[in-house]
Amino acid sequence: MTDNTTDQARKILEQHGIEEPDSKGRGPSQASQLAALAREKYDLFMSEDGRPYGVKKEGANTVYALRGKAGLRSHLARMYTDANGGSVPSQSALADAMTVLEGVAADAEPRQLHIRVARHEDRIIVDLATPEGRCVCIGPDGWQREGSSPVLFRRSGAMKPLPEPISDGDGLAKLQDLLNTDEEGFHLLVAWLIACFIPDLPHPILTFRGEQGTGKSYAAKMVIGIIDPSGAPKRTAPRDIKAWATQAFNSWALCLDNVSIIADWLSDALCRAVTGDGIVDRALYTDDDVVVLEFRRVLAMTTIDAGALAGDLAERLVTIELHTIPDAKRREENEMDQAYADAHASILASLFDLLAEVLKVLPKVVLTERPRMADFARVLAAVDQVQGWNTMATYKASARDAVADVLDGEPFAQAVVAMVDRAGPEGLTLTTQEILDKVPTPDKPPKKWPKDSTRAGGQLKRLAPALRTIGIEVDDSQRGPAPKRQRLYKLTASAERRCATASTASTSAGEGPLTSTDGVDAGMDAVASTPTPAMDAGDAGTDAGLFLASTPCSGPDLRLSEPMDAGDAGDAAMQPLSTDRIKRPCATCRRPQWNATGSPLCGACRDKEAA
């Protein structure tokens, strides 16, 4: 190290009360010089989650972590080597220096750090992740590129730089050309992208769904790259919560690719990452210290069918259906990569133009109805106001479809829905055990079928939001009589659902012959008779045109009746039916009289007498 640097190090050591360990006058040790150099060039502090960082006093507003081999440690080693004629500091000296610097950072005021996107007053700051620390500032009056960020950003090895946005034509049209979804799906995707650049709100999980050959994985890689480019934009589902926390902590946006099933722990972790999560982990190289990983992230996933999703996860999805790409229109990946690279800067510029307009109108947007993810819904309403689109309706329909998919995968929920639909307007008020007793249990109950009343109550609580979405209210606020005071579940179908169910039932009834399962007794007059071979087409048409013909006799007497002839059918068509006609037996054969002519004889006996 030069004499000037050594003198500076000595002064800094003296200022902070650090004694030189060498008593022979050979100057400060490597560790002391490293610590002095770091305090001269960097401001040291703790983040709000308890991690030590340093930021250059003169330079980009980008922080470097003190812990780990990357970050400030490697920068400090390089600076020492450059200043000392190529001499490399030892690992023990670096470790000792880092220990001292962590203590210095702990005494400083904690600061808030951001990754990729931050809010600063009324503006959005997007870190381009360049070595110079360039960024883009977006506000209600537009956007501009800046040489330095007004807020502190941290970076990770998973991040890659964003291109500087350039206004070059319609970037949104260029993006649409790279996707194979319909107009509604594309509008919803653009609104989701706008929300992704607003950091202080929950972002629903973008889900690309479609069969093989629809380009799900490439679409996800492209969309995530627009927001937060990475060397690994698509990830496999993590094996445990710690692996997930590490991935999520080091990226603003990430995608889980080809999800076939979502474990319960991962479903919960995804929900927490949407709304804001904090995971406590053991601090590196310690047994009794912990750090907290805090994050709220932008998430996406691709799937053909993720299986039965948990209801709370399904309500946090924005689903984009992708269509199959015909072989004649399929493009090579190299061609797509080049088209995307050429359009990326223009896409960003068009998105930032729209984001500025959204920020201008967003404070004035008022929702008359607030669905789940209400903050995101306000952004959709603002986008609709600016663009004249209808993304809010598309989002609500997507959410309802996701909930319906959840219920399709829940046999117990399906049984409860069927039971409520059979009940009247008052619904049902039952204990969970009574619900279990009333719903038909399958011969081989599926894995999710509740084994007892406690588990049934838990499932009803978990499924209540999904049931409300399809028009079934679940109220568990009531209690039964003393001494047991069991919890009662009141299940009621809404008027809209009852109306829709009745309409469906009547439509189904009109499509085929009525049976006893249609809710009408087969022996009652309301059931149409089947024309016998003795009837001609004209008679049958007359019957159908005038009224609903009755069966020739009641059910018990059916075995005694003889085939009807054309005359009998004609009689039935000529006269209105009454219940009196079946109470007088024929004077000759003693069979029920149904021709209602006033004659004591049935039609068959009259024909015999006439012959």
Side-chain angles (χ1 to χ4, degrees):
M1 187 174 285
T2 63
D3 292 340
N4 187 37
T5 303
T6 302
D7 291 341
Q8 289 179 352
R10 229 183 240 112
K11 290 179 181 179
I12 295 172
L13 290 170
E14 291 173 358
Q15 290 174 359
H16 295 278
I18 302 176
E19 297 182 359
E20 299 179 17
D22 195 333
S23 61
K24 298 180 180 181
R26 291 179 297 188
S29 66
Q30 285 187 343
S32 299
Q33 294 177 49
L34 287 166
L37 186 60
R39 299 180 72 172
E40 177 190 1
K41 300 292 185 181
Y42 293 88
D43 283 330
L44 305 170
F45 62 92
M46 286 285 189
S47 65
E48 292 181 338
D49 59 8
R51 290 172 170 250
Y53 289 92
V55 59
K56 284 184 178 180
K57 294 181 178 179
E58 296 180 2
N61 235 356
T62 304
V63 302
Y64 301 94
L66 269 65
R67 292 176 181 168
K69 293 184 178 181
L72 185 60
R73 183 187 180 109
S74 59
H75 284 271
L76 194 56
R78 180 183 59 79
M79 292 170 60
Y80 178 92
T81 301
D82 291 344
N84 202 30
S87 177
V88 178
S90 67
Q91 291 297 318
S92 61
L94 283 168
D96 292 343
M98 289 300 108
T99 300
V100 172
L101 296 178
E102 283 198 31
V104 175
D107 290 338
E109 190 72 22
R111 302 190 193 180
Q112 184 179 12
L113 301 183
H114 309 275
I115 186 166
R116 188 64 81 176
V117 180
R119 169 84 72 172
H120 180 63
E121 298 175 349
D122 65 338
R123 309 182 75 78
I124 302 294
I125 314 298
V126 179
D127 180 23
L128 298 180
T130 61
E132 302 82 13
R134 295 184 63 80
C135 68
V136 177
C137 299
I138 307 105
D141 55 346
W143 59 271
Q144 58 275 338
R145 295 181 291 270
E146 300 288 351
S148 180
S149 165
V151 298
L152 292 176
F153 281 106
R154 65 179 179 86
R155 295 175 183 171
S156 72
M159 296 176 63
K160 294 177 68 175
L162 273 170
E164 293 201 10
I166 300 174
S167 298
D168 180 23
D170 189 350
L172 297 185
K174 296 176 183 179
L175 175 60
Q176 187 172 15
D177 186 56
L178 295 170
L179 297 169
N180 63 315
T181 186
D182 56 24
E183 195 80 10
E184 288 185 350
F186 177 71
H187 290 169
L188 184 58
L189 173 62
V190 170
W192 181 84
L193 284 169
I194 293 299
C196 290
F197 289 106
I198 304 177
D200 44 6
L201 58 84
H203 306 89
I205 302 171
L206 179 69
T207 305
F208 285 109
R209 187 168 64 182
E211 60 184 75
Q212 294 179 0
T214 55
K216 300 184 299 295
S217 296
Y218 193 88
K221 180 182 76 171
M222 185 168 52
V223 169
I224 291 298
I226 292 172
I227 309 162
D228 186 22
S230 170
K234 300 176 298 180
R235 323 282 175 88
T236 57
R239 64 182 181 276
D240 54 37
I241 190 66
K242 189 170 184 178
W244 162 249
T246 302
Q247 291 187 37
F249 185 72
N250 290 300
S251 297
W252 170 243
L254 65 158
C255 173
L256 301 182
D257 193 27
N258 289 326
V259 175
S260 57
I261 190 168
I262 298 179
D264 290 342
W265 72 265
L266 180 57
S267 177
D268 293 340
L270 292 174
C271 291
R272 293 197 303 269
V274 166
T275 55
D277 199 358
I279 297 177
V280 178
D281 190 17
R282 183 176 65 87
L284 193 63
Y285 308 126
T286 68
D287 292 324
D288 56 355
D289 194 12
V290 297
V291 293
V292 179
L293 303 179
E294 293 182 292
F295 49 83
R296 174 186 285 162
R297 290 295 174 261
V298 169
L299 304 176
M301 68 179 180
T302 68
T303 181
I304 296 175
D305 179 12
L309 301 176
D312 51 352
L313 177 61
E315 290 184 329
R316 290 171 169 85
L317 299 184
V318 167
T319 303
I320 306 293
E321 297 286 349
L322 297 183
H323 309 307
T324 303
I325 305 173
D327 291 343
K329 295 184 178 181
R330 194 175 299 278
R331 302 161 70 178
E332 294 182 4
E333 191 161 338
N334 289 338
E335 178 190 353
M336 292 286 291
D337 288 341
Q338 188 60 52
Y340 171 66
D342 293 342
H344 195 170
S346 177
I347 292 170
L348 277 178
S350 293
L351 285 173
F352 291 161
D353 286 337
L354 180 53
L355 176 58
E357 294 293 326
V358 167
L359 292 176
K360 183 187 298 184
V361 304
L362 192 58
K364 301 176 183 177
V365 172
V366 178
L367 298 178
T368 55
E369 295 181 359
R370 291 179 174 83
R372 192 79 180 263
M373 309 290 290
D375 299 276
F376 174 70
R378 284 187 71 238
V379 175
L380 294 183
V383 171
D384 290 344
Q385 182 175 327
V386 172
Q387 295 290 97
W389 293 346
N390 197 19
T391 60
M392 179 71 85
T394 305
Y395 171 62
K396 289 182 177 179
S398 170
R400 287 193 297 268
D401 291 345
V403 169
D405 291 343
V406 169
L407 295 178
D408 284 345
E410 296 282 354
F412 179 65
Q414 294 177 32
V416 170
V417 168
M419 180 181 67
V420 174
D421 284 340
R422 290 193 299 267
E426 299 300 322
L428 299 167
T429 303
L430 305 168
T431 65
T432 50
Q433 186 58 55
E434 290 171 338
I435 292 173
L436 276 179
D437 294 340
K438 280 183 174 293
V439 297
T441 304
D443 295 334
K444 292 183 179 180
K447 183 178 180 181
K448 290 188 175 182
W449 193 269
K451 296 180 174 60
D452 52 45
S453 59
T454 301
R455 290 180 175 86
Q459 282 209 32
L460 282 175
K461 290 285 287 184
R462 183 173 59 83
L463 293 169
L467 292 172
R468 291 190 187 98
T469 302
I470 65 169
I472 294 180
E473 273 299 320
V474 180
D475 178 11
D476 64 346
S477 60
Q478 301 180 40
R479 291 280 181 172
K484 290 186 176 181
R485 295 196 53 79
Q486 294 175 296
R487 186 181 298 278
L488 299 177
Y489 287 82
K490 185 175 182 180
L491 308 171
T492 311
S494 65
E496 293 81 1
R497 179 174 181 82
R498 292 197 305 273
C499 180
T501 304
S503 299
T504 303
S506 63
T507 302
S508 301
E511 294 174 353
L514 290 172
T515 65
S516 60
T517 58
D518 293 320
V520 182
D521 188 350
M524 296 173 63
D525 294 345
V527 181
S529 64
T530 304
T532 65
M535 295 175 65
D536 60 19
D539 297 327
T542 304
D543 287 346
L546 293 177
F547 51 81
L548 295 176
S550 66
T551 53
C553 60
S554 61
D557 295 327
L558 188 60
R559 63 184 183 276
L560 301 176
S561 63
E562 296 178 356
M564 294 172 62
D565 60 11
D568 297 328
D571 291 341
M574 293 167 59
Q575 299 293 335
L577 301 179
S578 70
T579 55
D580 293 339
R581 57 187 173 80
I582 65 171
K583 296 181 180 179
R584 297 195 304 272
C586 173
T588 302
C589 65
R590 309 305 297 172
R591 291 175 183 152
Q593 160 78 289
W594 65 83
N595 60 13
T597 61
S599 171
L601 302 178
C602 66
C605 292
R606 286 202 323 273
D607 291 342
K608 289 179 182 179
E609 284 194 0

